[in-house]
Amino acid sequence: MSKKNFGFLSPQAYMKQAIEEMNKEYNIHTINANTWEESEINSIVKDCKEKDIKAVAGYAQKDAFHHILINEALGNKVPSRLAFFYCMNKYLMRTLEKNPFFFAPVDPINETDEEIIAKIPDNEWPFMLKNTSLSLGRGIYKIKDKQDLKDVLKLYREDKELQDKIADQYSYYLKGIDPKTLPPVAPPFIAEHMVDMNKAIEYCYEGYITEDGKIVHYAFTEEVYFANHQALGYITPPISIDAKIADKVEEWVEDYMGKFVNLGYKNQFFNLEFWIMPNGEINLTEINPRAAHSYHYNYLYSSNNSLYVDNLLLAAGDVILDETPWSKWRNNHFEKYTLIILITAKETGKVSDILDYDYVDYLENEKNILIRHTKQKDDNITEEDMTAAGVMLQQMWITGNTKAETISLEKEIRKKIYKKPQTDTQYPLYWNA
């Protein structure tokens, strides 16, 4: 039999190894989509049909809408525009949550500072203010007091370019949707309860919904943070909880995602981030209308499942036969723990002056550790690059047969990779070998 043809949207350099492996069973074609203009989509679809490409898949946030537009034109089932719109607005996604903590819509253009301040209960200061449509951590603020809030609102009111960009995005998302079905409020900001990240633990859940609306539980990853809230890494399966909590998580996911099914979210993966609070309650962080590309290797190394392949099979309407990483975790059948180590700079200067590249080369070439270079060794880190969490330099995937082995290796790498000792990162109490 001839191999099936699939399209991979905008693959990144670190995905090369995975795509080479996929090409043994399928023909994987790279597709670079830059805009949502009808002429470009039509050109891509024409090329796909000429190459007999059955379906395409996108794994980054910037690819999520292209995934819908191209697959729809190829005749595949895709999430509805309305369901996608809810996913792309942090306020709307929270309106579907059962028993959410405090949140309120904020519209700086049509509301005064005083009207917005009046929405925030006294016991919710400080709180989080988030732009509802930006991604990758942009437009998120910790609001300490009223003056802090006024300063942020003023910046947004003056940023006409950002306002126009958001309006332009929404014009594409909403094209063809019956206005009567739209929610009455879709604000540019949301005010919400600030979670104490030293008490609650954040998790990333992966699932998908079939063409006929069945919710399938796929995988579960724990997000690990230092005491200063800087991200340490992402470990699969989680280490702070065991599979006894799986029933509760499944019940919560099915309640929440059932509402997305009713909105027309079908035949696509979804990625949920949520906190499990000290009292055991689950609270939404956000939903992403896609599979999370960086977790592919977590699932591959830990459970021998291919997220990339499964996403393509689902998009094409094919059956996914493998036992999922979720079920393997539930049944204690997973093979290893896999951790994405996040290597972050908190100082300015040339990257090669911050990291020991002899050691990086040793990890990559001698230990065969996969490294995603988000910054290159000759790049220069400036103050303009710096965020509260620093600047991401690298992500690397390590494995261990036990929790202790994985944690020990992470500590060893973090100690050796920096040229200067990192003194402002305090490990969480449970992160010990």
Side-chain angles (χ1 to χ4, degrees):
M1 289 181 62
S2 60
K3 295 192 291 186
K4 289 184 179 179
N5 294 289
F6 289 120
F8 198 119
L9 286 165
S10 305
Q12 299 178 40
Y14 86 99
M15 300 172 175
K16 180 182 178 182
Q17 179 181 324
I19 293 174
E20 287 175 353
E21 190 65 29
M22 293 165 69
N23 268 315
K24 293 177 182 178
E25 189 170 354
Y26 308 97
N27 292 318
I28 304 300
H29 301 260
T30 294
I31 295 176
N32 292 306
N34 299 306
T35 73
W36 300 323
E37 293 296 335
E38 189 173 345
S39 58
E40 182 180 0
I41 300 303
N42 287 342
S43 176
I44 291 171
V45 171
K46 181 175 180 290
D47 187 55
C48 286
K49 289 180 177 179
E50 289 173 353
K51 294 175 179 175
D52 195 29
I53 293 173
K54 302 298 184 186
V56 305
Y59 304 88
Q61 198 77 335
K62 67 182 180 63
D63 303 320
F65 198 44
H66 283 120
H67 179 113
I68 289 177
L69 294 174
I70 298 168
N71 277 312
E72 184 177 54
L74 289 173
N76 298 315
K77 180 72 176 178
V78 296
S80 72
R81 299 288 200 283
L82 185 60
F84 184 80
F85 184 53
Y86 268 75
C87 288
M88 299 305 288
N89 185 287
K90 292 181 176 66
Y91 173 81
L92 293 179
M93 65 176 67
R94 194 169 286 286
T95 63
L96 303 182
E97 182 184 7
K98 180 174 65 176
N99 300 323
F101 46 49
F102 161 75
F103 73 102
V106 173
D107 187 345
I109 303 302
N110 297 304
E111 295 177 308
T112 66
D113 290 353
E114 289 68 30
E115 288 172 327
I116 294 170
I117 289 169
K119 295 182 179 183
I120 315 301
D122 291 343
N123 65 338
E124 291 291 349
W125 296 79
F127 67 93
M128 299 303 296
L129 182 70
K130 300 179 180 178
N131 185 284
T132 52
S133 60
L134 297 179
S135 59
L136 303 176
R138 295 170 297 181
I140 296 177
Y141 307 92
K142 176 183 175 182
I143 303 298
K144 301 184 292 293
D145 53 37
K146 294 178 182 179
Q147 187 57 50
D148 204 13
L149 176 60
K150 291 178 179 180
D151 291 343
V152 173
L153 297 175
K154 181 174 183 291
L155 286 174
Y156 178 76
R157 290 181 181 121
E158 293 173 350
D159 196 340
K160 187 69 165 55
E161 184 179 350
L162 177 59
Q163 295 168 33
D164 290 343
K165 179 182 177 183
I166 292 171
D168 185 54
Q169 281 184 345
Y170 282 5
S171 71
Y172 283 100
Y173 298 161
L174 299 176
K175 188 176 181 180
I177 298 180
D178 182 351
K180 295 176 183 176
T181 66
L182 292 175
V185 179
F189 282 90
I190 178 176
E192 65 178 29
H193 174 76
M194 185 173 71
V195 173
D196 185 344
M197 293 172 63
N198 290 324
K199 295 180 180 178
I201 295 179
E202 194 166 0
Y203 298 88
C204 184
Y205 165 98
E206 204 102 47
Y208 65 86
I209 300 175
T210 63
E211 190 171 337
D212 58 2
K214 179 186 176 184
I215 297 167
V216 178
H217 305 284
Y218 191 82
F220 206 32
T221 296
E222 180 173 343
E223 304 186 14
V224 187
Y225 291 84
F226 290 106
N228 66 354
H229 299 171
Q230 178 183 330
L232 182 160
Y234 311 117
I235 188 163
T236 307
I239 65 169
S240 292
I241 52 176
D242 58 32
K244 293 176 183 177
I245 202 170
D247 286 341
K248 184 172 185 176
V249 172
E250 287 186 6
E251 180 183 357
W252 186 91
V253 168
E254 286 166 15
D255 175 83
Y256 183 69
M257 292 310 300
K259 294 162 187 170
F260 271 98
V261 171
N262 293 337
L263 289 171
Y265 197 105
K266 295 180 181 179
N267 213 50
Q268 171 60 308
F269 272 79
F270 61 90
N271 177 270
L272 286 168
E273 293 181 82
F274 52 73
W275 290 285
I276 297 184
M277 310 301 286
N279 64 2
E281 291 300 308
I282 299 174
N283 284 103
L284 177 72
T285 308
E286 66 179 29
I287 178 175
N288 296 297
R290 57 181 174 84
H293 61 85
S294 58
Y295 292 143
H296 166 82
Y297 294 100
N298 288 51
Y299 310 151
L300 183 67
Y301 296 161
S302 289
S303 302
N304 199 30
N305 291 80
S306 173
L307 177 67
Y308 295 160
V309 168
D310 287 347
N311 200 335
L312 285 164
L313 292 175
L314 180 68
D318 291 345
V319 177
I320 300 173
L321 296 176
D322 288 338
E323 188 182 3
T324 67
W326 175 271
S327 61
K328 290 175 183 177
W329 171 62
R330 286 203 63 152
N331 298 320
N332 199 31
H333 289 165
F334 65 94
E335 297 174 14
K336 297 178 181 179
Y337 289 93
T338 303
L339 172 70
I340 307 177
I341 304 177
L342 305 182
I343 302 298
T344 307
K346 300 297 287 288
E347 59 184 294
T348 59
K350 196 174 179 180
V351 175
S352 58
D353 291 332
I354 299 171
L355 300 183
D356 180 346
Y357 270 85
D358 287 338
Y359 185 61
V360 173
D361 291 342
Y362 164 77
L363 293 175
E364 211 165 18
N365 300 318
E366 300 295 327
K367 303 300 289 184
N368 295 318
I369 289 176
L370 175 66
I371 300 179
R372 179 188 181 194
H373 296 265
T374 52
K375 296 290 183 182
Q376 302 302 316
K377 64 188 298 184
D378 292 328
D379 288 348
N380 195 54
I381 306 301
T382 67
E383 287 292 348
E384 288 71 34
D385 299 318
M386 204 61 60
T387 70
V391 179
M392 185 70 65
L393 303 180
Q394 295 179 355
Q395 297 176 353
M396 62 179 71
W397 283 259
I398 65 167
T399 62
N401 293 317
T402 65
K403 299 176 187 178
E405 182 181 327
T406 312
I407 290 170
S408 179
L409 181 54
E410 182 277 332
K411 288 184 172 181
E412 176 186 339
I413 289 173
R414 197 174 296 276
K415 183 178 180 180
K416 292 180 177 179
I417 200 168
Y418 290 97
K419 287 189 171 181
K420 297 178 184 176
Q422 303 295 291
T423 58
D424 61 345
T425 49
Q426 179 184 343
Y427 282 102
L429 291 177
Y430 65 87
W431 197 255
N432 59 71

